[in-house]
Amino acid sequence: LDDFVAAYNDEKASRNVCEFSDLKKYALQLLIDSDGNPTQIALEERKKYKHIFVDEYQDTDSIQDLVFNTISNGANLFFVGDIKQSIYSFRGAEPSLFARYRRSYVPAISESEPPASSLSVFMSENFRCSPNIISFTNAVCSYLFRECEAEGKGIGYVAQDDLIASRSQPFSEEKVKVVLLERDPGKADNDVSCAYIVNEIKDLLSNKKKCNGEAYIPRDIAILTRSNKDASKVADALAKAGIPHANSTGNDLFENS
């Protein structure tokens, strides 16, 4: 394995290319010495940043976390995250990092004296979705994450993680609908799903109204899929049904090279 890694790295070097994991590794080598202390480069980098803002912190890993903290002066790192939205565990994301910070930081509304150096602000109010969607999300997430906690696989989900519906604009009173599709033995799974999606959209466009009384138009509707391949299948089905659509997955990386 060591020989393969060495040969692989030599080949990348000869082509002057890096992978995402290489960038993290090289950054760490530049910023942290063999004893785990900041290098002179890291100390110089610290002087360049008045503030460091990092979004989607639930999808960082331990190396990225160490890099951010190394170039921080200890009082200028601001990060935002939501453990419910962690989707990159397959590439090493560690939502437990964000959960750990949240547990250790003092809430900003605390009246403790003196003020703590590390504060947290809990943003639970959701102004985008209707109350029925919020209730459904809370019901699903609170159950799933707490079950994970019971199995020792939790990421620190607590009652305060439940969202609060704060939307003041008109919203639909229609309940969230969960549909389980039974696969036709003669058809692929995505064929059954596509047929259902097309029929639902046809019904929305022809028979349903938005909460403000306006008719639905295609751009009011969004379809989320697990993969680009599934998205292409749905797009093909919509095209055959004559429903205007846009597929934002783009071209295949290798076809676009």
Side-chain angles (χ1 to χ4, degrees):
L1 181 59
D2 290 341
D3 291 341
F4 170 79
V5 172
Y8 186 49
N9 288 335
D10 288 342
E11 183 64 24
K12 286 188 290 186
S14 69
R15 296 170 181 247
N16 199 29
V17 297
C18 285
E19 296 178 280
F20 180 71
S21 59
D22 293 326
L23 299 178
K24 294 193 297 181
K25 178 181 68 176
Y26 295 145
L28 198 63
Q29 291 174 350
L30 287 172
L31 300 173
I32 308 291
D33 63 24
S34 57
D35 295 323
N37 299 314
T39 63
Q40 187 59 40
I41 293 176
L43 297 177
E44 291 298 322
E45 286 297 309
R46 285 182 185 178
K47 301 175 183 178
K48 298 180 180 180
Y49 302 107
K50 184 176 181 180
H51 303 290
I52 301 173
F53 298 92
V54 187
D55 196 8
E56 307 292 358
Y57 213 86
Q58 77 279 350
D59 289 324
T60 59
D61 57 36
S62 55
I63 293 179
Q64 293 167 315
D65 180 62
L66 183 56
V67 167
F68 292 136
N69 280 280
T70 300
I71 62 175
S72 166
N73 62 19
N76 64 342
L77 180 58
F78 178 90
F79 49 89
V80 180
D82 182 353
I83 56 175
K84 295 193 293 295
Q85 297 186 40
S86 181
I87 60 174
Y88 290 108
S89 59
F90 67 91
R91 73 175 189 193
E94 301 175 51
S96 58
L97 290 170
F98 183 75
R100 184 191 68 205
Y101 282 123
R102 187 186 61 185
R103 289 193 299 268
S104 62
Y105 284 11
V106 176
I109 60 173
S110 173
E111 297 179 358
S112 61
E113 293 291 342
S117 59
S118 300
L119 302 174
S120 65
V121 178
F122 218 99
M123 297 184 292
S124 298
E125 292 189 81
N126 182 293
F127 299 90
R128 176 182 298 174
C129 303
S130 64
N132 285 337
I133 293 177
I134 299 301
S135 296
F136 176 77
T137 301
N138 287 339
V140 172
C141 289
S142 62
Y143 173 78
L144 289 179
F145 284 117
R146 285 174 184 142
E147 283 295 302
C148 289
E149 295 286 346
E151 297 174 5
K153 304 175 183 177
I155 52 178
Y157 192 93
V158 294
Q160 291 90 335
D161 282 315
D162 286 348
L163 298 172
I164 299 172
S166 299
R167 178 174 173 176
S168 59
Q169 305 99 315
F171 49 78
S172 173
E173 296 289 347
E174 188 170 345
K175 298 291 185 180
V176 173
K177 180 166 60 175
V178 178
V179 179
L180 300 178
L181 299 175
E182 184 176 358
R183 185 168 74 89
D184 186 331
K187 296 182 179 180
D189 287 341
N190 49 27
D191 292 337
V192 177
S193 300
C194 290
Y196 176 81
I197 291 170
V198 168
N199 288 333
E200 284 291 300
I201 291 177
K202 285 182 176 179
D203 183 48
L204 280 173
L205 297 177
S206 301
N207 306 315
K208 300 292 181 66
K209 300 289 185 181
K210 292 187 284 187
C211 54
N212 60 6
E214 295 179 356
Y216 280 100
I217 57 177
R219 69 182 180 190
D220 292 322
I221 303 166
I223 304 169
L224 306 181
T225 62
R226 288 178 61 87
S227 67
N228 291 351
K229 183 178 180 180
D230 289 338
S232 297
K233 291 279 188 181
V234 173
D236 291 342
L238 293 173
K240 291 178 181 177
I243 300 174
H245 63 281
N247 184 0
S248 62
T249 58
N251 297 325
D252 181 86
L253 172 64
F254 298 104
E255 291 180 357
N256 201 39
S257 298

